[in-house]
Amino acid sequence: SPSLSRITFVPKAGFTGTASIDFSGYDSTGHRFSGTVLIEVDQSKNASISYSVATGGAVPFDSGDFNRVSRTLTGDPLSYVRFTLPPSDRGLLCYQYDSKDGTYHSKVSSNTNYFYSGTSSALGDVTFLSDSRYSGTVEVEYTGWSTRRERFDGIVTIQVSTPTATAVQYVGCSTPISIRSSDLRNMCVNALGRELSHLRFTSLPPEGAGRLYHGYVSPNETGTPIATGNNYYVDRAPVIDQLTFVPKAGFQGTVTLPYSGYDSTDSWFSGTIEISISNGYCVDRFSDMGGYDWAKPSVEFLYENGVATGVSSSRFEPAQNISRGDFALMICRAFQFQSGSTGSFTDVPPKSYYANAIGTAQSLGIVQGNRGRFMPQNPITRQDAMVMLQRALIAAGKSSSIGNTNLLSSYADGQKVSDYAKSSVASMIQLGAVQGDQANRLNPLSPISRAEMAVILHRVLTR
């Protein structure tokens, strides 16, 4: 004593390869000799027990798996094992778990022997419960003893993966798209088998695609922009059914909104909301929009928001120049301006359909006229439309910036912009509402068509 036969080599968890142990030995007469013990360590046998489970789920341990490892490594059946407990933020080992109500008798102890056979501390009653916030790999180390008291070490590898739901899909042309909680509740039931409690967006739409709001009513009552990390609930505020995606004017393509969905136990799944925006989804409301695909989404957006209507129920007259009176009317509708005043312009009949809008615009400083006249029937020029738009944004409290007039020099006809309109035109350029034509011209003195008006106003309202 001490007996050589009682020496044991225990491989460190995770080590695979050859362990080389040099030694010096002595015969009974005292003569010395040297040698090396080579131990091949194959962790694929030690760690050959593996399970998979969804985040927040439960996986029972199969005692037969541990018995197979014992027979492979020692040649004898298993007697019992002891576990090294996993980190608490990844899950826990419990004893006698009831899958019906989610309760268990006790937590597994690292000092307790769990037996392959027998009813007391049975290995088959051990279950791993995954933490509802963790996904990844969990390794549970254990030490086993065979029926002949030979010891071995192993690892139970548990792959914890987040359940993934199929994409919730919506399509549209340009008008706001509401997110329905019923669609997301179905995803939760399919992924977790339980009802959805709330969701949390993990990223937001690209700036050029549009914006996601909570409580959106209109372009002037947009509610609150969505923030990542905030919870949105099925049955209490802030509610999922008040989530709205508003496409930006000119955008076409698919927006993917990744989210995490949670049930009442805080188990979660990952999912996406896919919103496809295309001119092909526009409503063919007006028969004369052929050749004006570039304006269709804007016309639909303004129509649905009560800003612009057709000249009849079936015609929009996209090529027709818009009058100063009609543009003032659309400005007031777009920004929901109201004053009850008919103004003081001598050429605006008090009972005309645009009289109140012109009077309101005058009272807000949006229009000023010329020598007491507004000339409501005259076509409005592009630069005057931009002047009215900039003033309307200021009156609505949505802008106070003065445009950088140096921007005008980058256009072929920028010098043609009148002095009184330069700042306003520059502001519309900075805002992205005006981009110039194919020849890089602003055409400031040209009249603006109804189709062009729709696009510019759409850009302003979804900037």
Side-chain angles (χ1 to χ4, degrees), residues 406-449:
N406 291 332
L407 292 172
L408 302 179
S409 62
S410 61
Y411 293 88
D413 58 352
Q415 76 281 358
K416 293 183 179 180
V417 178
S418 301
D419 288 344
Y420 73 88
K422 285 182 177 179
S423 177
S424 297
V425 173
S427 291
M428 293 300 105
I429 293 172
Q430 289 176 202
L431 196 64
V434 177
Q435 299 171 353
D437 64 12
Q438 293 180 344
N440 194 37
R441 294 174 303 191
L442 291 169
N443 301 308
L445 303 178
S446 300
I448 187 170
S449 69

Side-chain angles (χ1 to χ4, degrees), residues 137-396:
T137 301
V138 179
E139 292 185 343
V140 179
E141 299 178 17
Y142 70 92
T143 300
W145 284 265
S146 71
T147 53
R148 297 178 66 177
R149 296 290 297 168
E150 188 172 350
R151 171 180 164 167
F152 62 93
D153 294 297
I155 300 175
V156 180
T157 303
I158 306 168
Q159 189 62 46
V160 183
S161 58
T162 303
T164 302
T166 56
V168 176
Q169 298 179 325
Y170 299 99
V171 298
C173 171
S174 62
T175 55
I177 294 175
S178 298
I179 309 299
R180 297 185 295 267
S181 63
S182 57
D183 297 330
L184 297 162
R185 292 172 68 183
N186 290 337
M187 295 301 105
C188 185
V189 170
N190 292 338
L192 301 179
R194 293 181 290 272
E195 281 291 327
L196 179 69
S197 168
H198 59 279
L199 65 80
R200 187 179 302 156
F201 289 100
T202 54
S203 68
L204 299 178
E207 185 177 345
R211 293 184 179 178
L212 194 60
Y213 296 98
H214 182 266
Y216 181 92
V217 177
S218 71
N220 293 289
E221 298 179 65
T222 57
T224 306
I226 299 304
T228 56
N230 289 354
N231 292 337
Y232 298 92
Y233 298 87
V234 170
D235 55 4
R236 62 187 176 94
V239 296
I240 294 172
D241 283 323
Q242 289 185 12
L243 296 173
T244 304
F245 174 73
V246 182
K248 193 168 185 177
F251 173 76
Q252 291 198 63
T254 299
V255 176
T256 300
L257 304 174
Y259 69 90
S260 298
Y262 298 81
D263 66 14
S264 58
T265 69
D266 232 19
S267 295
W268 65 289
F269 68 98
S270 63
T272 57
I273 298 172
E274 296 181 356
I275 303 175
S276 297
I277 304 299
S278 170
N279 286 4
Y281 297 122
C282 291
V283 177
D284 289 328
R285 196 179 311 278
F286 299 108
S287 62
D288 58 349
M289 291 298 294
Y292 286 87
D293 283 351
W294 53 272
K296 273 185 178 181
S298 299
V299 170
E300 181 168 319
F301 180 86
L302 297 186
Y303 182 90
E304 290 295 332
N305 282 281
V307 176
T309 59
V311 298
S312 69
S313 60
S314 61
R315 296 184 64 79
F316 187 75
E317 295 292 349
Q320 180 179 303
N321 294 333
I322 188 168
S323 69
R324 291 169 56 84
D326 282 347
F327 194 71
L329 177 61
M330 291 178 187
I331 288 286
C332 287
R333 287 174 177 170
F335 293 96
Q336 298 179 336
F337 293 142
Q338 293 182 2
S339 71
S341 170
T342 56
S344 60
F345 295 118
T346 58
D347 58 348
V348 178
K351 293 186 179 181
S352 59
Y353 67 90
Y354 46 63
N356 184 261
I358 294 174
T360 297
Q362 184 183 20
S363 68
L364 294 172
I366 297 171
V367 300
Q368 298 173 355
N370 184 14
R371 298 179 182 179
R373 300 176 68 243
F374 184 69
M375 296 165 285
Q377 297 294 333
N378 288 4
I380 190 169
T381 62
R382 292 173 62 83
Q383 69 177 14
D384 282 354
M386 295 177 218
V387 169
M388 289 177 62
L389 275 172
Q390 189 212 19
R391 291 174 179 170
L393 285 168
I394 293 173

Side-chain angles (χ1 to χ4, degrees), residues 7-65:
I7 294 176
T8 302
F9 172 75
V10 181
K12 188 173 182 179
F15 173 76
T16 297
T18 302
S20 178
I21 305 172
D22 296 329
F23 68 89
S24 295
Y26 300 83
D27 67 15
S28 58
T29 65
H31 288 97
R32 180 179 179 273
F33 64 96
S34 299
T36 303
V37 178
L38 298 178
I39 304 174
E40 295 290 338
V41 181
D42 185 355
Q43 289 285 354
S44 65
K45 293 181 179 179
N46 289 355
S48 61
I49 298 177
S50 60
Y51 301 110
S52 62
V53 66
T55 298
V59 55
F61 284 4
D62 186 341
S63 59
D65 293 333

